[in-house]
Amino acid sequence: MMLTDHNLPRVIIVGGGFAGLNAAKGLAGAQASLLLLDRTNHHLFQPLLYQVATSVLSPSDIASPIRQVLSKQSNVQVALSPVDRVDLENRRVCLPHQHIDYDYLVLAAGATHSYFSHDTWPHFAPGLKTVEDALKIRNRVLLAYEEAEWETDYEARRAKLTFVVVGGGPTGVELAGTLKEIAAHAISRDFRFIDTTTARVILIEAGSRLLPAMPEESSRSAQRQLERMGVEVRLNCPVTDFREGEVELGEEILPAANIIWAAGVRGAPLAQTLGVALDKAGRVPVNPDLSLPGHPEVFVAGDLAHAVDSSTQKPVPGVAPAAIQMGRHVAKIIRSEIEAGERESKREPFQYRDKGTMATIGRCRAVASVKGFKAQGLVAWLLWSLVHIWSLIGFRKRVFVFFSWLWSYFVYSPKARIITGKSDTCSGSPDRRIDDSGGNS
Amino acid sequence: MMLTDHNLPRVIIVGGGFAGLNAAKGLAGAQASLLLLDRTNHHLFQPLLYQVATSVLSPSDIASPIRQVLSKQSNVQVALSPVDRVDLENRRVCLPHQHIDYDYLVLAAGATHSYFSHDTWPHFAPGLKTVEDALKIRNRVLLAYEEAEWETDYEARRAKLTFVVVGGGPTGVELAGTLKEIAAHAISRDFRFIDTTTARVILIEAGSRLLPAMPEESSRSAQRQLERMGVEVRLNCPVTDFREGEVELGEEILPAANIIWAAGVRGAPLAQTLGVALDKAGRVPVNPDLSLPGHPEVFVAGDLAHAVDSSTQKPVPGVAPAAIQMGRHVAKIIRSEIEAGERESKREPFQYRDKGTMATIGRCRAVASVKGFKAQGLVAWLLWSLVHIWSLIGFRKRVFVFFSWLWSYFVYSPKARIITGKSDTCSGSPDRRIDDSGGNS
């Protein structure tokens, strides 16, 4: 349809996350032919993905079909497809069966887990980036309790009831807090043999404090709040290896059936096909206007970009608000150049407006830091809830997630506590407990 | 815990569906030690499973953890485990790693798909019994539209946009209606190249009318309502074979990328381990009290039972209300024998109280037949909605599903329209459409 109009400049956007989606929206009404490519059919509200992993929300609560989000914007076409590589020289994007030419390219393919070249670690400690990741973690966590209920050996049962979260950033803090809350409250009445309130949740951080991107006061408060809930926080504690059901911390071996990786991210592999030098996290260094050096027609936005704030000269953090702002910035430049019919001689540099950072820890527990103002506990949690609910895409989702949360928080009942998929059920050790107690045989 | 109390009679219930769950609930407070075994961790509200397959609801909207449902009933233990076989002679249930003795056994393992011994058919035409089945169908349906959007060949695109539902019972009718509604309304604005309103939905039934368990008037009305929506209904049309992307109907070959099987069910394979003669649908023929002939300590309830209503002498249908009533009936007998301390000389026979049958067809479209009273259209749909929402387990789910529906029906926006899992994305034919239109290369 619109792509057959050869007179319009063609803009290809790779990735339907916060950056890509906002780049597309920022070009609404522009005299351009947009194509948004994504491997999945949905935009994911990643800041809440940990709630899917901990069975508080369903995937569809935080995922919206990209097509639906953009259905009223007639100059954009959405396509479900992986992108194999980018051919900068010929200005084309290569898909599995074809290539597509572009006049402008916006790369917003995001980030993936980084295990710092440890090939076996992903198997033992899955990370959390996609809906599939979240469902895998949800299944593992729920199955751990099921298996513990069968387990007669004390040590083995202890290991099943030990959850280790590696990485003290926002995702790690949020995961650890929620896992502990579920164990202590939500499911405490559901089991007969095990006491889920005794489940250990251990948050491991290699650095000297949690939430390193926030002020020290927030870090201390987060740690205090987590410890009050019963989470064990270990700082200055780098993981040296993972094995089946074990975490190696230097000399110490920690038996734990459930390990979640929230420690490192790196730019999507697509960046490696550009043939440019990447930073050590696999991200693409960009010009102040977010364009690729030497390629003014190519922009990189969101977690894939290694960008520096033009006013503070500090690196732009890999958070949703930054991705949204980058997407809008890129759209603004492209739109004005399309309208002018020529490349601008001097483009506006990207400035990151830091609206503050926050992390939730549990029911009515959070930390927030907004332009010097620091909050913790209930106030921070209310702030956090408002901001996140408001940012969720679509009015309906806002309303539903809001009620779903209210309910969950009042009755401590995670709604999505079901095990699905082909993960084997209870394949643990021989189940002697019930057999032993079967005395009338 | 309770299973170590050797003085209490031990009741094992296999299956946490409507029959098993109600058998367990019916024994609340009884001086017995109950064990409920299920392969999954959740009770599934199967009458609404087609809404998950058509992305109207999320799995967690219609599934509740069995543990949670029974958490307040202290005489029952819930265990996640498959059951390999039943050893009637030694009165034990055999699990993968152990066996467990019983004093009473309630078999409520339900039904599975039946493809009438055609081994290849499940691959081409998946059925709908579990959450995993529903998610598989959801992915296939959503991907069909994505692939059609890429497809340049007219015939191939037509096949992608052809959905065939085999079987004119309630599930088939409900699936066909919802699939057509989604195509005609929900996603009609989301695509640029294809016109989803032209998608064909074909409902195939081997017999002479839809909904054979309902009065003829309801069958005719259901057909009329479906056809008015644009569903093609084919009666007296047995499928003779399936091949990749094709349905064979005698002489006719119908190209269709998406085929769903809603034609036959049979008793769960566990029945075959009993060593008793089964009916031709693999179900267990039972005595009027629902016990296994020759084994008064074993009961069969729900879809696995071939039971005859003691007053009408008609077979009890395989529907949720019948399963619920059977579960309660069995619980009543077991409870009174436990209280009396001895086997009753004459047990009460099972009587099915038919509260009517209904099937929904689409937004404000349904048929209902309640004790001679027949309704159709909006009235039947309101009745259907009330009954189903009310029956959903847990107050919260009722409220949420109610609002979720209200919303979906007002704005035509299925909320769970996301593709998850490892199903390949768009692996269809080479995508020439976009390439062709890339004229400026």
Side-chain angles (χ1 to χ4, degrees):
Chain A
M1 211 150 71
M2 89 245 28
L3 289 186
T4 52
D5 187 341
H6 302 168
N7 298 319
L8 291 184
R10 177 183 294 211
V11 182
I12 296 184
I13 299 167
V14 179
F18 285 110
L21 199 55
N22 280 283
K25 284 176 162 182
L27 286 164
Q31 290 296 310
S33 164
L34 272 61
L35 174 66
L36 191 154
L37 295 161
D38 198 296
R39 272 179 314 175
T40 75
N41 81 327
H42 48 272
H43 169 75
L44 185 63
F45 194 85
Q46 268 189 344
L48 290 180
L49 193 57
Y50 78 96
Q51 299 219 354
V52 174
T54 51
S55 61
V56 176
L57 294 176
S58 285
S60 63
D61 291 331
I62 61 159
S64 301
I66 300 172
R67 285 191 187 287
Q68 189 178 13
V69 178
L70 295 174
S71 67
K72 288 180 183 148
Q73 185 175 329
S74 61
N75 68 348
V76 63
Q77 185 201 351
V78 177
L80 177 69
S81 173
V83 173
D84 289 344
R85 65 187 183 89
V86 174
D87 179 351
L88 288 175
E89 200 180 331
N90 296 302
R91 298 192 182 181
R92 54 170 66 158
V93 165
C94 303
L95 311 188
H97 298 294
Q98 72 200 83
H99 62 261
I100 315 177
D101 300 304
Y102 60 80
D103 298 305
Y104 284 101
L105 175 66
V106 181
L107 285 175
T112 182
H113 319 293
S114 168
Y115 289 89
F116 312 118
S117 309
H118 295 283
D119 294 343
T120 61
W121 289 17
H123 173 69
F124 301 116
L128 182 61
K129 274 285 167 196
T130 64
V131 168
E132 287 75 19
D133 292 341
L135 293 177
K136 188 202 279 180
I137 292 174
R138 182 175 86 181
N139 277 356
R140 284 196 182 195
V141 169
L142 295 174
L143 276 174
Y145 288 106
E146 296 290 341
E147 290 173 358
E149 177 88 342
W150 283 108
E151 187 58 64
T152 50
D153 178 69
Y154 176 80
E155 293 299 332
R157 192 161 69 241
R158 204 83 206 91
K160 295 267 185 223
L161 293 179
T162 301
F163 300 87
V164 172
V165 178
V166 182
T171 303
V173 165
E174 288 164 346
L175 273 171
T178 316
L179 285 173
K180 186 68 198 179
E181 266 190 346
I182 287 174
H185 302 285
I187 60 171
S188 59
R189 282 190 309 267
D190 289 3
F191 292 84
R192 299 287 178 252
F193 296 117
I194 57 170
D195 178 0
T196 65
T197 65
T198 65
R200 290 174 79 188
V201 177
I202 306 169
L203 177 60
I204 291 177
E205 165 59 40
S208 62
R209 62 183 178 109
L210 300 177
L211 304 173
M214 292 186 75
E216 291 219 19
E217 193 183 321
S218 303
S219 301
R220 279 195 303 271
S221 170
Q223 184 172 353
R224 214 163 40 232
Q225 294 183 62
L226 281 169
E227 286 172 344
R228 211 174 292 149
M229 292 166 68
V231 173
E232 301 169 39
V233 178
R234 300 216 193 164
L235 302 176
N236 304 305
C237 185
V239 170
T240 46
D241 203 4
F242 292 107
R243 284 182 293 274
E244 194 65 52
E246 282 181 357
V247 185
E248 186 189 282
L249 306 161
E251 300 289 293
E252 185 187 352
I253 305 293
L254 188 64
N258 253 286
I259 307 161
I260 305 175
W261 183 257
V265 295
R266 57 179 291 113
L270 182 62
Q272 292 156 25
T273 71
L274 290 172
V276 305
L278 306 177
D279 74 1
K280 65 182 172 17
R283 296 174 305 173
V284 184
V286 291
N287 290 329
D289 64 347
L290 302 180
S291 70
L292 191 65
H295 287 276
E297 76 284 4
V298 178
F299 295 90
V300 188
D303 286 356
L304 191 60
H306 176 124
V308 172
D309 183 3
S310 62
S311 57
T312 63
Q313 298 305 317
K314 285 201 286 191
V316 179
V319 296
I324 292 169
Q325 292 174 28
M326 287 195 236
R328 288 182 185 154
H329 179 83
V330 167
K332 208 171 140 194
I333 293 176
I334 296 175
R335 177 192 284 274
S336 85
E337 293 190 352
I338 286 174
E339 282 172 6
E342 58 177 17
R343 197 84 75 211
E344 285 176 346
S345 55
K346 186 156 170 36
R347 288 171 172 173
E348 200 182 330
F350 175 69
Q351 263 188 296
Y352 173 51
R353 287 175 303 284
D354 185 355
K355 291 176 179 167
T357 47
M358 40 183 110
T360 181
I361 293 157
R363 203 172 97 116
C364 305
R365 288 189 171 93
V367 288
S369 159
V370 183
K371 299 186 180 177
F373 166 76
K374 292 177 200 72
Q376 57 190 59
L378 181 63
V379 174
W381 184 80
L382 286 174
L383 200 62
W384 178 89
S385 305
L386 275 178
V387 168
H388 280 82
I389 291 166
W390 198 249
S391 313
L392 265 181
I393 287 199
F395 166 73
R396 177 170 168 282
K397 287 218 189 301
R398 265 174 221 158
V399 173
F400 273 80
V401 172
F402 180 71
F403 282 109
S404 198
W405 269 351
L406 267 192
W407 189 273
S408 281
Y409 279 107
F410 278 117
V411 305
Y412 276 122
S413 172
K415 68 165 203 169
R417 202 144 51 79
I418 61 169
I419 301 173
T420 59
K422 285 192 188 123
S423 60
D424 324 276
T425 50
C426 277
S427 54
S429 53
D431 312 317
R432 284 178 303 265
R433 175 176 293 258
I434 288 185
D435 200 29
D436 286 346
S437 62
N440 52 358
S441 64
Chain B
M1 211 150 72
M2 87 244 28
L3 289 187
T4 54
D5 187 342
H6 302 165
N7 299 319
L8 292 183
R10 178 184 294 211
V11 182
I12 295 183
I13 299 167
V14 179
F18 285 111
L21 199 57
N22 280 282
K25 283 177 162 180
L27 286 164
Q31 290 296 309
S33 165
L34 272 63
L35 173 66
L36 192 153
L37 295 161
D38 199 294
R39 271 179 314 175
T40 75
N41 80 328
H42 48 271
H43 168 75
L44 185 62
F45 194 85
Q46 268 189 345
L48 290 181
L49 193 57
Y50 78 95
Q51 298 219 357
V52 174
T54 50
S55 61
V56 176
L57 293 175
S58 286
S60 64
D61 291 331
I62 61 159
S64 302
I66 300 172
R67 287 190 186 286
Q68 190 177 14
V69 178
L70 295 174
S71 67
K72 288 182 185 145
Q73 186 174 330
S74 61
N75 69 347
V76 63
Q77 186 201 349
V78 176
L80 177 70
S81 174
V83 173
D84 289 344
R85 66 187 182 87
V86 174
D87 179 351
L88 289 175
E89 200 181 328
N90 296 302
R91 298 193 181 180
R92 52 170 68 158
V93 165
C94 303
L95 311 190
H97 299 292
Q98 72 199 80
H99 62 263
I100 316 177
D101 301 304
Y102 60 79
D103 297 305
Y104 284 101
L105 175 65
V106 181
L107 285 175
T112 183
H113 320 292
S114 167
Y115 288 90
F116 312 118
S117 309
H118 295 283
D119 294 342
T120 60
W121 288 17
H123 172 69
F124 300 116
L128 182 61
K129 273 285 166 195
T130 65
V131 168
E132 286 75 20
D133 292 340
L135 293 178
K136 189 202 277 180
I137 291 173
R138 183 176 85 181
N139 277 355
R140 284 195 183 197
V141 169
L142 295 175
L143 277 174
Y145 288 107
E146 296 290 340
E147 291 172 359
E149 177 87 341
W150 282 109
E151 186 60 65
T152 50
D153 178 70
Y154 176 81
E155 293 300 332
R157 192 162 69 240
R158 205 81 206 94
K160 296 269 185 221
L161 293 179
T162 301
F163 301 87
V164 172
V165 179
V166 182
T171 302
V173 166
E174 288 164 345
L175 272 172
T178 316
L179 286 173
K180 187 67 198 179
E181 267 192 343
I182 286 174
H185 302 285
I187 60 171
S188 59
R189 282 191 308 268
D190 289 4
F191 292 83
R192 300 288 177 250
F193 296 116
I194 57 171
D195 178 1
T196 65
T197 65
T198 64
R200 289 174 79 187
V201 177
I202 306 169
L203 178 60
I204 292 176
E205 164 61 40
S208 63
R209 61 183 178 110
L210 299 178
L211 304 173
M214 293 187 73
E216 292 216 21
E217 192 182 323
S218 302
S219 301
R220 278 195 303 273
S221 169
Q223 183 172 352
R224 214 162 42 231
Q225 293 184 61
L226 281 170
E227 285 172 345
R228 210 173 293 148
M229 291 167 68
V231 174
E232 300 169 41
V233 179
R234 302 219 193 161
L235 302 176
N236 304 305
C237 185
V239 170
T240 46
D241 203 5
F242 292 108
R243 284 181 293 275
E244 193 65 50
E246 282 182 357
V247 186
E248 185 189 280
L249 305 160
E251 300 290 291
E252 185 186 353
I253 305 293
L254 189 64
N258 253 286
I259 307 161
I260 305 175
W261 182 257
V265 294
R266 56 180 291 111
L270 183 63
Q272 292 157 26
T273 72
L274 291 171
V276 305
L278 306 178
D279 74 0
K280 65 180 171 19
R283 295 174 306 171
V284 184
V286 291
N287 290 328
D289 64 348
L290 302 181
S291 68
L292 191 64
H295 288 277
E297 76 285 4
V298 178
F299 294 90
V300 188
D303 286 355
L304 190 60
H306 176 124
V308 172
D309 183 3
S310 63
S311 58
T312 63
Q313 299 304 317
K314 286 202 287 190
V316 179
V319 296
I324 292 169
Q325 291 173 29
M326 287 195 234
R328 287 181 186 154
H329 179 83
V330 167
K332 208 171 140 194
I333 293 176
I334 295 176
R335 177 193 283 276
S336 85
E337 293 191 351
I338 286 175
E339 282 171 7
E342 58 178 18
R343 198 84 75 210
E344 283 175 348
S345 55
K346 186 155 168 41
R347 288 170 172 173
E348 199 181 329
F350 175 70
Q351 265 189 296
Y352 173 51
R353 289 174 303 284
D354 186 355
K355 291 175 178 166
T357 47
M358 39 184 109
T360 181
I361 292 158
R363 203 172 94 116
C364 305
R365 287 190 171 92
V367 288
S369 160
V370 183
K371 300 185 178 176
F373 166 76
K374 291 178 201 71
Q376 56 190 59
L378 181 63
V379 174
W381 184 81
L382 286 173
L383 200 63
W384 178 89
S385 304
L386 275 177
V387 168
H388 280 82
I389 290 166
W390 197 248
S391 313
L392 264 182
I393 287 199
F395 165 72
R396 178 170 167 281
K397 287 217 189 303
R398 267 174 219 157
V399 174
F400 273 80
V401 171
F402 180 71
F403 282 109
S404 198
W405 268 351
L406 267 194
W407 189 272
S408 281
Y409 279 107
F410 277 118
V411 304
Y412 277 122
S413 172
K415 68 166 204 170
R417 204 145 51 78
I418 61 171
I419 301 172
T420 59
K422 288 198 186 115
S423 61
D424 326 272
T425 49
C426 278
S427 53
S429 53
D431 313 316
R432 285 178 302 266
R433 174 177 294 256
I434 287 186
D435 200 29
D436 285 346
S437 63
N440 50 358
S441 63

